[in-house]
């Protein structure tokens, strides 16, 4: 097994995935006990996956490895259509979920023009606080390493299986915010879509980050007011999860499970 064309040296290179996952969890969950003292505080550090990726990259290959990881953040020159997908899909799917919730009995929302600026601001903040640090780790570091020995689809699902329990502090602290089963389906399916975006754009983390941040932001905007209506809220989450799962299956059918990148090889790492 090689990393960027070099022969891996030492224990860190042999156990890079295990080391990464351990650090990502430890760093991210480190403030969870503080919720006992301040129930209103965040139980999860979103910087954990990115910091873990940086530390392990340095341990595995030093400065060249780290630069190879960070270089993905600058790969923004891709077909503009990918940016359209990264914004359009996260807008359409939560919108569909909200529509289903209204049919199920939720009140029709009333929005103000200022809400557009609010959502735009939320996307920007989420890109910085959540998107960059999570995706530098999950897709920038973990996914390509898993793809050395697994198909792209298998690697995407394994990444999703690591990504889902990472949210455990949030799921325990606020169990009503994300219904467990549809959220699990949503995370696994979204992991496939993110892998498809990553491979199809030759490792463009800006596209992946935008997709992740936009999905979080639009889902929060469309669904947060439904939490007082348990049944419509659950309906919305199942529609959200089901729609993302259908899109993930469509991406696999279109791009192929081996590469998840029709017409192009997966990015080399």
């Amino acid at each position: 097994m090689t990393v960027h064309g070099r022969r891996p040296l030492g224990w860190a290179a042999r156990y890079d995935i295990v080391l990464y996952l351990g650090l990502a969890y430890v760093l991210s969950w480190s403030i969870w006990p503080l919720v006992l003292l301040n129930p209103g505080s965040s139980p999860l550090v979103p910087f954990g996956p990115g910091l873990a990726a940086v530390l392990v990259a340095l341990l595995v290959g030093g400065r060249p490895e780290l630069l190879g990881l960070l270089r993905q953040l600058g790969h923004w020159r891709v077909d503009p259509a990918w940016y359209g997908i990264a914004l359009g899909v996260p807008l359409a799917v939560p919108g569909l979920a909200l529509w289903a919730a209204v049919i199920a009995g939720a009140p029709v929302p009333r929005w103000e023009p200022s809400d557009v600026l609010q959502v735009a601001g939320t996307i920007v903040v989420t890109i910085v606080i959540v998107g960059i640090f999570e995706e530098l780790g999950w897709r920038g570091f973990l996914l390509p390493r898993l793809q050395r020995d697994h198909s792209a689809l298998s690697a995407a699902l394994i990444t999703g299986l690591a990504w889902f329990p990472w949210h455990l502090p949030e799921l325990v602290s606020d169990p009503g915010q994300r219904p467990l089963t549809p959220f699990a389906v949503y995370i696994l399916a979204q992991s496939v879509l993110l892998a498809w975006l990553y491979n199809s754009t030759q490792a463009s983390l800006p596209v992946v980050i935008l997709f992740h941040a936009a999905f979080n932001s639009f889902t929060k905007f469309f669904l947060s007011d439904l939490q007082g209506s348990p049944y419509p809220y659950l309906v919305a989450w199942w529609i959200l999860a089901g729609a993302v799962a259908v899109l993930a299956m469509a991406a696999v059918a279109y791009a192929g499970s081996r590469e998840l990148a029709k017409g192009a090889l997966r990015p080399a790492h």
Side-chain angles (χ1 to χ4, degrees):
M1 182 168 60
T2 61
V3 180
H4 293 296
R6 297 188 307 278
R7 186 182 185 85
L9 302 172
W11 63 272
R14 293 195 300 272
Y15 302 107
D16 54 352
I17 291 176
V18 173
L19 183 59
Y20 165 74
L21 289 174
L23 280 173
Y25 271 73
V26 168
L27 292 171
S28 299
W29 289 11
S30 60
I31 63 170
W32 194 0
L34 298 180
V35 178
L36 297 175
L37 301 176
N38 180 13
S41 64
S42 172
L44 189 65
V45 179
F47 309 136
L51 291 176
V54 167
L55 292 172
V56 177
L58 283 171
L59 286 172
V60 168
R63 186 169 177 268
E65 188 77 21
L66 176 60
L67 291 177
L69 173 69
L70 298 178
R71 195 174 295 121
Q72 298 174 83
L73 292 171
H75 182 32
W76 59 271
R77 292 184 179 179
V78 298
D79 189 325
W82 291 111
Y83 289 101
I85 292 172
L87 276 175
V89 172
L91 171 63
V93 173
L96 175 65
L98 174 61
W99 175 75
V102 170
I103 292 176
V108 177
R110 295 183 179 181
W111 296 315
E112 302 292 336
S114 60
D115 290 331
V116 175
L117 293 177
Q118 178 188 337
V119 174
T122 301
I123 291 174
V124 171
V125 171
T126 307
I127 284 174
V128 176
I129 296 179
V130 177
I132 291 176
F133 286 96
E134 277 200 51
E135 292 307 330
L136 185 64
W138 300 126
R139 255 56 62 172
F141 184 91
L142 180 59
L143 178 66
R145 280 168 168 76
L146 288 170
Q147 288 185 146
R148 296 171 183 158
D149 302 313
H150 303 278
S151 70
L153 177 59
S154 296
L157 291 173
I158 294 170
T159 300
L161 289 173
W163 188 27
F164 170 67
W166 177 81
H167 293 88
L168 184 61
E170 293 180 337
L171 296 172
V172 171
S173 298
D174 190 0
Q177 183 182 12
R178 296 164 175 169
L180 187 62
T181 304
F183 182 64
V185 174
Y186 167 79
I187 284 291
L188 288 174
Q190 193 180 68
S191 188
V192 173
L193 288 178
L194 287 165
W196 169 64
L197 288 171
Y198 180 84
N199 286 351
S200 297
T201 59
Q202 288 289 287
S204 174
L205 279 184
V207 171
V208 171
I209 288 166
L210 179 61
F211 184 90
H212 185 165
F215 232 120
N216 281 20
S217 301
F218 283 121
T219 299
K220 181 178 180 180
F221 177 71
F222 284 129
L223 303 190
S224 60
D225 290 341
L226 299 176
Q227 286 187 261
S229 307
Y231 176 68
Y233 189 60
L234 185 61
V235 168
W237 261 101
W238 272 114
I239 294 297
L240 184 78
V244 175
V246 169
L247 289 173
M249 289 186 286
V252 173
Y254 173 75
S257 62
R258 185 172 181 273
E259 300 291 344
L260 277 179
K262 188 178 179 71
L265 294 175
R266 69 175 64 156
H269 287 273

